[in-house]
Amino acid sequence: MNLQGDPGGIPHYVFSFAQGDRSQADLLGGKGANLAEMTRLGLPVPPGFTVSTVACRAYLAAGQFPEGLAEQIHDFLMLLEREMGQSLGDAADPLLVSVRSGGRFSMPGMMDTVLNIGLNDASVRGLAIRANDERFAWDSYRRLIQMFGKTVLGLDGHGFEQALDEAKSRAKVNSDVDLPVAELKNLVTTFKGMIVNLADLEFPQDPYQQLTMAVQAVFDSWNTDRARLYRRRERIPHDLGTAVNVQVMAFGNAGEGSGTGVAFTRDPSTGARGVYGDYLQNAQGEDVVAGIRNTLQLEQLEEIDPKSYRELLDIMRRLELHYRDLCDIEFTIERGKFWMLQTRVGKRTAGAAFRIATQLVDEHVITLDEALLRVTGHQLSQLMFPRFAADVSHQLIARGMSASPGAAVGRVVFDSATAVAWAEAGEKVILVRRETNPDDLAGMVAAAGILTSRGGKTSHAAVVARGMGKTAVCGAEELEVETAAKRLTTHEGVVVIEGDAISIDGATGEVFLGEVPVVSSPVAEYFEHGMAQALTTADQATNELIHAVDRLIAHADERRRLRVRANADNPVDALRSRMMGAEGIGLLRTEHMFLGDRKVYVERLIIAETQQEHDEALAALLPLQRKDFIRILEVMDGLPVTIRLIDPPLHEFLPNLTELAVRVAVAEARGERNAAELRMLQAVRRLHEENPMLGLRGVRLGLVLPGLFALQVRAIAEAACFRQKLGGNPKAEIMIPLVGSIQELELVIDEAAGVLKDVAQANGCTLSFPIGTMIELPRAAVTADQIAEAAEFFSFGTNDLTQTTWGFSRDDVEAAFFSTYLEKGVFSVSPFESIDREGVGELVRIAVERGRRTRPGLHCGVCGEHGGDPDSIHFFDEVGLDYVSCSPFRVPVARLESGRATVERTASGSDSR
Ligand code: ADP
Ligand code: MG
Ligand code: MG
């Protein structure tokens, strides 16, 4: 096909269904490409042509039909008339067509279909005579005027529907099919009058004008606000344009032997085998989905019209084999003659996606590789979370951000201590805070779910909750949380006090009053406890689903190049991550080990004035740290455990400045003097930072506070020796955070090497831990060639890297203005959720390249939140990282997506058919 245009320079704007195929969705839109494909396959498709997206773009650019378009439409119409032996608007035997929009992607907000174009006051009589059916002709005409008014002229559809209802009650009938001809004629007059009144225009009697206006209206609908908003949200480019299909009508409203229906080649909601669909007799267009009359189950068509039913089944089989996937279908039967009006690869639920993919493998329709590409990590994660039971009514009291998915029910508590106490007493609790901070950690661990009224998806609560796989709703701003009064109030005045039950849905951000029943996920059960356990309560459908997941995840494991590790910092999480299939720990955060009871030791360290005080404080921490490491190295025996030395700023371990200052001031006013508190206050003041995230933390802390890193390295080394002596195979890796220059790293490595040597000698064991660094500052990425001289591995901390590359303060910006940014399309997804490939991603790419130039084969991974994000995983595979590390709960998702990434990469370029 000559897409460049004819020698005269006017492009081909119009294509017959007989010319195209399904690969041309860019040009013909999805609907047009599939109509062409079905025509090519010899299926019964009413003939027609497609006005291409090229024409739409030219129209939108010029504000009018481009030169040659009207002529081309006219030419193709003439061909159609010749083929059908009828002509548009013919008073004796009119050709009627539909005008159907259809871009590359299906899009709500775009103009709907107009049927029966070509009818006017004269041709409606011709149609009645030729069909020998007045009712049918006038029903078609009233439908045309109604659809034209609503979709082409943009009038409110309710007026038309109201007039239709009035006609029905005048005629004392329940259904539009029973309307007598006289009422239908009345309706036509009424509808025409409405168009004159509301649109200030006579309903066009010239069928060609009807057609042109409809095509133009489809083009214009590309730029409606709703369509633009939808595209921004779905990341569909604004410059694609839509195609328009003009197609000869098949009449489903020509009596009882006619009808219209939709069908799926398998059940799209469960994935069960077998046809599935609805049929409506004597109906046209959207009647079947509009719910105006009760539809029949597809199987009932077998009794009504066995020949058409068999034809449909046969076509469904052919389409599935041809598209090699679940297809959805729109069809119409006109007086016993079967017509296909649409097909496409159908949407389906997450569970159906897994089942159908493996069914198709069993049926030898697709390969396992292809099956893997038919399911997504996003779908898998949907399957892993528990849900609220669907058919129970709940009272919605607020809405926040879906910070960490899942469904949690419990009694409301407003502070960490109560959360811990109640949880220990066996109570399920929801921790409600304005926002959380590291002090709330114990409460967060104890709670079934977390609800905050401030902060976004990257707030402390959200990040920690996701890390723990714990349900959280954040930033429910309509809630007023009064921590001291132990009360929250909704903006509608509902008051919830400590002990009241609420239910939060972390996938939707909804907050409900009371206890909503939760259904657990058999897929999560499968990952956490194995197949046998998951199958104990499974019905047939669930059983098939679990086997499908099992098979596809196993295939992903076989295929993937990326290794998958977990972020875990306690033995329970470590064990859990192994169950989930983690091949090591990619990020063990040591700061959590300094919280809780141990905070006092850190405080002592910070306020130490003499060397002795300092050494004592460190010495007290050593055995505690060692014990932590021993347990984790035991659980992860034989697998790499990347331990990050302490990262956050010190003030996170200290009391709140204001509270402490007030306490000291009050004490002084009373004439009391508490020397320790005073010292603490001085320390807190000294360490106070305006911008702690860019302050004294990470490697900087290690260099400024001598002995701290050495203590941690010693604890790791001693733990490893201990494990070795017990016959274990500890594989610790030491990771230095927030490094910006090789000099920083060298200083720490020198210190660490000394400690390792000491410990090895003292214990008579050999220690060979790699020491590497986080790459989380742009400077580190750019000087990666130098840093790699000292670093034995890189781990990308993409949270901080995103923060420092964009200059976004993670805890502030998302709540402050990300919604505006998303709305205005600055980015279509938060760069903290999905890696910003062009900016942050480019730094990752540069660092990998430069690092490996210095140190060939340098081991590289990622341990930011992006490690569990499907889209980001594909990127990390592409830039050649060795592993991703994510929260334990995301490990299966990462395994699946890594497998998909490999298959996609190796399949691209070669024909997959
Ligand atoms: P949508 O994209 O909303 O599904 P369609 O273009 O598929 O819109 O049109 C909606 C319905 O209109 C179709 O399902 C079909 O029932 C009816 N329709 C469209 N074109 C024709 C036609 N040429 N003959 C009969 N019915 C048609
Ligand atoms: Mg359709
Ligand atoms: Mg960091």
Side-chain angles (χ1 to χ4, degrees):
M1 203 183 306
N2 174 9
L3 303 185
Q4 305 311 315
D6 63 26
I10 295 175
H12 278 295
Y13 287 126
V14 183
F15 302 88
S16 154
F17 290 170
Q19 285 176 299
D21 63 54
R22 72 158 145 155
S23 70
Q24 292 172 306
D26 285 338
L27 179 71
L28 305 174
K31 197 180 288 169
N34 285 322
L35 283 166
E37 184 80 7
M38 289 195 294
T39 305
R40 214 168 59 87
L41 288 175
L43 301 186
V45 177
F49 55 85
T50 304
V51 184
S52 72
T53 55
V54 176
C56 176
R57 290 197 290 268
Y59 167 85
L60 292 174
Q64 59 184 40
F65 271 16
E67 191 193 339
L69 177 56
E71 291 76 7
Q72 288 185 29
I73 293 178
H74 191 258
D75 290 348
F76 275 84
L77 195 63
M78 271 177 36
L79 288 175
L80 210 55
E81 291 179 333
R82 204 173 307 154
E83 184 178 353
M84 301 303 294
Q86 292 175 312
S87 52
L88 205 67
D90 184 347
D93 185 10
L95 175 72
L96 303 190
V97 294
S98 65
V99 168
R100 319 173 60 187
S101 72
R104 176 76 182 79
F105 306 101
S106 87
M107 246 173 60
M110 289 291 299
M111 201 199 83
D112 290 332
T113 306
V114 183
L115 305 178
N116 310 331
I117 281 188
L119 281 177
N120 57 24
D121 294 350
S123 63
V124 66
R125 294 173 207 285
L127 182 66
I129 293 168
R130 203 189 62 93
N132 192 21
D133 187 345
E134 267 208 298
R135 188 211 66 85
F136 154 66
W138 286 92
D139 180 56
S140 303
Y141 195 24
R142 71 91 189 158
R143 284 172 186 267
L144 167 64
I145 303 171
Q146 186 173 351
M147 281 185 265
F148 197 89
K150 189 174 151 204
T151 62
V152 179
L153 303 177
L155 303 180
D156 184 0
H158 293 307
F160 294 103
E161 276 151 35
Q162 209 178 328
L164 185 61
D165 284 340
E166 282 163 15
K168 281 195 271 188
S169 60
R170 259 199 312 275
K172 301 197 170 55
V173 297
N174 287 325
S175 166
D176 57 300
V177 288
D178 298 324
L179 278 177
V181 175
E183 280 298 347
L184 289 168
K185 288 182 177 172
N186 267 340
L187 267 182
V188 165
T189 311
T190 311
F191 284 179
K192 283 203 262 184
M194 286 169 64
I195 286 183
V196 172
N197 284 338
L198 298 171
D200 199 17
L201 166 126
E202 291 284 345
F203 173 73
Q205 289 292 311
D206 173 1
Y208 194 74
Q209 195 188 345
Q210 293 171 4
L211 178 63
T212 312
M213 286 176 75
V215 171
Q216 214 164 323
V218 173
F219 285 165
D220 286 332
S221 72
W222 179 257
N223 277 332
T224 57
D225 289 346
R226 249 186 87 200
R228 297 189 74 87
L229 182 69
Y230 181 82
R231 287 199 293 272
R232 264 201 308 274
R233 288 213 185 111
E234 298 296 311
R235 304 161 113 178
I236 298 173
H238 287 305
D239 55 4
L240 298 179
T242 181
V244 186
N245 302 288
V246 177
Q247 185 176 33
V248 171
M249 284 300 303
F251 296 106
N253 58 337
E256 290 293 293
S258 306
T260 184
V262 295
F264 299 86
T265 56
R266 302 176 192 236
D267 185 337
S269 60
T270 66
R273 281 191 177 86
V275 299
Y276 179 90
D278 296 306
Y279 181 69
L280 193 58
Q281 278 175 287
N282 199 6
Q284 196 175 42
E286 311 282 62
D287 290 359
V288 65
V289 284
I292 50 167
R293 279 183 265 147
N294 285 338
T295 55
L296 306 176
Q297 305 248 301
L298 195 60
E299 292 76 21
Q300 292 173 266
L301 180 61
E302 187 169 13
E303 287 153 38
I304 300 169
D305 184 348
K307 187 175 133 291
S308 293
Y309 184 70
R310 275 197 304 277
E311 188 167 358
L312 172 62
L313 287 194
D314 181 55
I315 287 173
M316 288 211 256
R317 253 191 306 275
R318 283 182 64 187
L319 283 177
E320 260 212 353
L321 288 177
H322 185 70
Y323 284 87
R324 307 161 73 245
D325 205 348
L326 160 86
C327 293
D328 77 27
I329 286 166
E330 294 171 12
F331 66 91
T332 282
I333 299 172
E334 178 180 342
R335 298 193 188 87
K337 166 78 182 117
F338 184 88
W339 293 104
M340 285 294 294
L341 292 174
Q342 187 173 328
T343 194
R344 66 189 155 192
V345 168
K347 294 206 166 68
R348 65 208 73 183
T349 62
F354 276 84
R355 285 178 69 187
I356 292 172
T358 49
Q359 286 166 6
L360 292 173
V361 172
D362 289 338
E363 293 162 22
H364 307 290
V365 178
I366 60 174
T367 63
L368 262 173
D369 270 359
E370 287 170 302
L372 198 51
L373 297 181
R374 299 275 176 90
V375 296
T376 66
H378 183 69
Q379 287 168 330
L380 182 59
S381 68
Q382 279 180 344
L383 290 173
M384 288 180 65
F385 289 108
R387 273 176 299 239
F388 286 124
D391 41 358
V392 186
S393 70
H394 352 294
Q395 186 189 346
L396 182 71
I397 54 168
R399 220 179 262 280
M401 287 205 218
S402 48
S404 180
V409 182
R411 294 182 182 284
V412 170
V413 294
F414 293 90
D415 61 288
S416 190
T418 313
V420 172
W422 288 25
E424 274 171 5
E427 210 53 87
K428 273 202 182 347
V429 300
I430 306 284
L431 179 63
V432 180
R433 306 281 295 166
R434 263 194 206 135
E435 55 213 334
T436 63
N437 62 50
D439 272 344
D440 295 320
L441 198 76
M444 295 171 81
V445 171
I450 297 143
L451 170 63
T452 68
S453 60
R454 304 258 176 82
K457 285 188 178 177
T458 54
S459 61
H460 178 267
V463 172
V464 176
R466 276 200 295 275
M468 296 192 292
K470 189 149 291 194
T471 303
V473 171
C474 291
E477 287 179 6
E478 59 218 59
L479 291 182
E480 198 191 327
V481 176
E482 292 162 280
T483 313
K486 301 195 171 198
R487 173 171 73 196
L488 72 82
T489 315
T490 75
H491 71 150
E492 274 159 2
V494 178
V495 177
V496 175
I497 58 165
E498 186 178 79
D500 286 353
I502 60 169
S503 305
I504 60 173
D505 188 331
T508 62
E510 291 166 318
V511 182
F512 302 103
L513 192 63
E515 291 181 25
V516 181
V518 176
V519 241
S520 75
S521 152
V523 174
E525 192 105 311
Y526 155 78
F527 281 113
E528 280 179 275
H529 305 291
M531 176 85 92
Q533 168 91 15
L535 289 181
T536 47
T537 58
D539 56 20
Q540 176 57 35
T542 309
N543 185 311
E544 193 187 318
L545 173 61
I546 292 168
H547 278 98
V549 169
D550 177 66
R551 213 157 137 200
L552 292 178
I553 200 89
H555 188 64
D557 285 343
E558 201 168 288
R559 279 287 189 235
R560 68 191 156 88
R561 186 189 60 77
L562 281 174
R563 301 288 95 197
V564 176
R565 299 191 190 178
N567 299 349
D569 45 31
N570 59 65
V572 175
D573 277 357
L575 197 60
R576 186 149 178 246
S577 72
R578 282 198 80 158
M579 291 301 292
M580 296 282 189
E583 297 158 299
I585 290 179
L587 175 61
L588 186 150
R589 297 178 176 92
T590 51
E591 50 270 18
H592 290 171
M593 299 171 169
F594 289 102
L595 292 169
D597 315 340
R598 304 182 188 174
K599 233 165 124 167
V600 291
Y601 300 110
V602 183
E603 288 176 5
R604 269 186 222 153
L605 179 66
I606 293 168
I607 60 171
E609 277 173 354
T610 65
Q611 187 64 39
Q612 196 191 341
E613 281 174 358
H614 179 260
D615 291 349
E616 275 170 16
L618 278 180
L621 276 167
L622 179 66
L624 298 169
Q625 278 267 276
R626 188 170 55 217
K627 205 167 82 197
D628 295 328
F629 294 135
I630 288 173
R631 300 228 309 277
I632 289 195
L633 288 172
E634 182 180 356
V635 171
M636 299 304 288
D637 196 57
L639 298 176
V641 177
T642 309
I643 301 169
R644 180 179 72 185
L645 303 187
I646 193 165
D647 182 36
L650 285 181
H651 72 87
E652 290 197 9
F653 303 102
L654 296 178
N656 178 283
L657 173 61
T658 322
E659 281 169 18
L660 186 60
V662 169
R663 220 165 43 230
V664 169
V666 169
E668 267 177 3
R670 287 208 197 105
E672 299 159 10
R673 221 181 108 83
N674 182 331
E677 288 225 315
L678 207 60
R679 257 165 76 188
M680 178 64 74
L681 180 61
Q682 279 158 359
V684 173
R685 284 223 172 94
R686 180 162 41 83
L687 291 168
H688 178 76
E689 291 173 311
E690 285 305 329
N691 203 338
M693 289 313 279
L694 298 177
L696 181 60
R697 51 177 284 227
V699 68
R700 304 162 191 175
L701 193 58
L703 295 179
V704 169
L705 206 70
L708 185 57
F709 275 10
L711 153 86
Q712 289 197 294
V713 173
R714 178 172 296 275
I716 296 166
E718 289 179 1
C721 285
F722 181 83
R723 287 292 311 148
Q724 276 181 9
K725 286 198 179 128
L726 292 180
N729 179 16
K731 297 181 77 172
E733 302 177 345
I734 294 172
M735 180 155 82
I736 319 297
L738 216 72
V739 164
S741 80
I742 170 100
Q743 287 81 2
E744 289 170 316
L745 190 60
E746 279 173 345
L747 288 167
V748 174
I749 288 179
D750 278 353
E751 189 185 19
V755 174
L756 290 181
K757 214 168 112 209
D758 267 11
V759 175
Q761 263 171 10
N763 290 272
C765 59
T766 23
L767 292 174
S768 60
F769 304 152
I771 302 182
T773 183
M774 303 272 292
I775 302 286
E776 50 188 342
L777 294 173
R779 193 180 193 286
V782 174
T783 62
D785 47 348
Q786 296 171 31
I787 290 181
E789 282 167 21
E792 291 177 275
F793 64 85
F794 283 176
S795 177
F796 291 91
T798 50
N799 295 343
D800 268 313
L801 192 58
T802 300
Q803 187 160 245
T804 51
T805 300
W806 279 89
F808 283 152
S809 159
R810 192 168 66 194
D811 291 330
D812 301 325
V813 290
E814 199 163 52
F817 62 82
F818 268 27
S819 56
T820 312
Y821 264 41
L822 291 163
E823 219 162 84
K824 292 192 185 296
V826 177
F827 34 67
S828 48
V829 57
S830 158
F832 290 112
E833 254 183 278
S834 209
I835 192 149
D836 151 37
R837 292 180 180 226
E838 290 146 27
V840 180
E842 192 57 23
L843 284 172
V844 173
R845 191 194 298 275
I846 287 170
V848 171
E849 217 176 85
R850 295 191 182 168
R852 286 185 181 154
R853 218 185 289 152
T854 302
R855 196 186 279 262
L858 176 74
H859 206 240
C860 296
V862 59
C863 62
E865 291 223 7
H866 298 101
D869 169 66
D871 196 49
S872 310
I873 289 169
H874 286 247
F875 177 78
F876 298 136
D877 182 59
E878 203 180 293
V879 298
L881 296 195
D882 296 293
Y883 69 89
V884 296
S885 187
C886 55
S887 66
F889 202 66
R890 304 287 296 174
V891 164
V893 172
R895 287 161 64 195
L896 189 80
E897 282 298 345
S898 302
R900 298 183 69 236
T902 310
V903 172
E904 226 162 53
R905 199 163 27 80
T906 47
S908 65
S910 67
D911 194 310
S912 61
R913 283 168 68 181

